[in-house]
Amino acid sequence: MEVMDKDIEKSWVNTNLGSVCLIKKGEQLNRLNLENAGEYPCINGGVLPSGYTDKWNTLENTITISEGGNSCGFINLLPTKFWSGGHCYSLLDLKSGIENIFLFYALKGRESLIMDLRVGSGLPNIQQKAIKAFEFIYPKNKSEQQSIASILSKTDQAIVHTEALIAKYTRIKTGLIQDLLTKGIDENGNIRSEQTHEFKNSPLGKIPKEWECITIKDFTERLRSGVTPKGGSDVYEKEGILLIRSQNVYSYGFKLDDVAYINEEINNRMLGSQLKDFDVLLNITGASIGRATYVPEGFPRANVNQHVCAIRLKKADLNRALFLSSYLNSIYGQNQIYQNIAGSNREGINYTQIKEISIPFFNSDFEFDKFSEMITKSNERINTEMKKLFKLQSIKTGLMQDLLTGKVRVKI
């Protein structure tokens, strides 16, 4: 399919949504009548169904717009029959000159503008008259509409496929980590089992007889966090030394789209929290408590604030940093972290509690090497698909900007 630039004034229509379809508000269904699973979803103001029911009031392949709630303005296309609830607009009886799937993409491409129509300070909502008056453009030629929708649909299919692969590989990694942290790898490079190897009791449960159960204080040289510089965000720079905060620490590594920088003078006043290669970082307060990662070799100069604990290992190398961060992110590490904060009047974990977290210790450089090798391969597989996903999402954004505005035309 060839693409070409062309003047759209004569071949595209500028209209409003109320002119091309009937906009119908749904009927509220008693929450007591909803189930966690069922044949038909109940669609209301959220992104996901409110529940499921054995009744339906709207046909499949209907476009919906969330009417109320924090997600009002969300555009959806339901492939099955469903119950349209009291906070849902359904777009029915489309004008013969417009394709349903094209209209979905035309609205999805302007979803942020539809969300801007919300009113109300408590529970926001979008008035029906505002939806009816919402403007968009579409090509008169239905074949052109179908071609645009086909291109975008195929991009969506590729995105869904890639997301499914990421979910699959993430599940595989989770299972692998559970095996490696409870059974480990024998001298032949195989996962141990109780049928073929000896295990012993420990505070962590049964572990291979070759292992020890130690605490983080036995494994580390020191634990430190930083501070928020005096003056707070007013002293942050556009460049300089990275100040790592809790929003930058994720289980898969660092997310640096929202970073702060400090100058040399402030950094020198925070000597105790300056980072080195293979330090393990753990979020110790707030909603992201328990997220952990490590500082890779060659990472830029950086410091941490008071919400992040920097754990320096006695033997600092990639294998042990990857092991400890993986353990802290695992169900075993997370359970201990949340047991420590349970019943506390503040959401946080202190240094004493961190030091007493129990961890398995392999007693073998070979096993640390194999652990790192297997987890690194698993991470690389996930990261490859993540890069594909980001690229596809970027491609889709560009296609929607070009094709849904007529900036780039498809030649039938």
Side-chain angles (χ1 to χ4, degrees), residues 8-71:
I8 67 167
E9 289 185 5
K10 294 182 180 179
S11 54
W12 283 54
V13 178
N14 188 352
T15 188
N16 59 65
L17 193 54
S19 300
V20 300
C21 65
L22 170 66
I23 301 170
K24 182 180 179 181
K25 190 174 180 180
E27 305 170 54
Q28 194 62 33
L29 195 63
N30 192 317
R31 186 169 290 274
L32 295 175
N33 295 326
L34 295 177
E35 304 290 342
N36 292 328
E39 188 171 1
Y40 305 113
C42 177
I43 306 300
N44 263 302
V47 172
L48 299 175
S50 300
Y52 293 83
T53 176
D54 58 357
K55 300 185 292 185
W56 61 274
N57 61 6
T58 311
L59 289 169
E60 63 270 26
N61 298 320
T62 297
I63 300 168
T64 63
I65 303 176
S66 296
E67 178 268 347
N70 293 328
S71 301

Side-chain angles (χ1 to χ4, degrees), residues 56-175:
W56 61 274
N57 61 6
T58 311
L59 289 169
E60 63 270 26
N61 298 320
T62 297
I63 300 168
T64 63
I65 303 176
S66 296
E67 178 268 347
N70 293 328
S71 301
C72 63
F74 175 75
I75 310 297
N76 204 355
L77 178 62
L78 278 298
T80 63
K81 295 182 177 71
F82 64 97
W83 185 274
S84 175
H87 296 291
C88 174
Y89 292 127
S90 296
L91 308 190
L92 310 172
D93 301 334
L94 264 62
K95 185 177 176 180
S96 60
I98 189 164
E99 285 288 318
N100 187 57
I101 185 66
F102 174 85
L103 179 59
F104 166 71
Y105 282 114
L107 297 178
K108 197 70 176 176
R110 297 169 68 80
E111 187 175 63
S112 61
L113 297 177
I114 295 175
M115 288 183 168
D116 286 343
L117 300 175
R118 62 181 63 188
V119 295
S121 55
L123 186 67
N125 68 92
I126 298 178
Q127 300 292 307
Q128 194 174 73
K129 62 181 180 181
I131 292 291
K132 287 181 177 180
F134 185 77
E135 294 186 348
F136 70 100
I137 61 174
Y138 69 93
K140 294 178 182 178
N141 189 322
K142 291 188 71 173
S143 294
E144 187 171 357
Q145 294 178 34
Q146 292 166 352
S147 296
I148 291 171
S150 176
I151 292 169
L152 296 175
S153 293
K154 288 175 181 176
T155 310
D156 272 343
Q157 289 167 13
I159 288 172
V160 168
H161 175 70
T162 306
E163 288 173 336
L165 283 177
I166 292 169
K168 173 185 174 182
Y169 294 150
T170 301
R171 289 193 300 271
I172 292 172
K173 178 187 172 183
T174 299

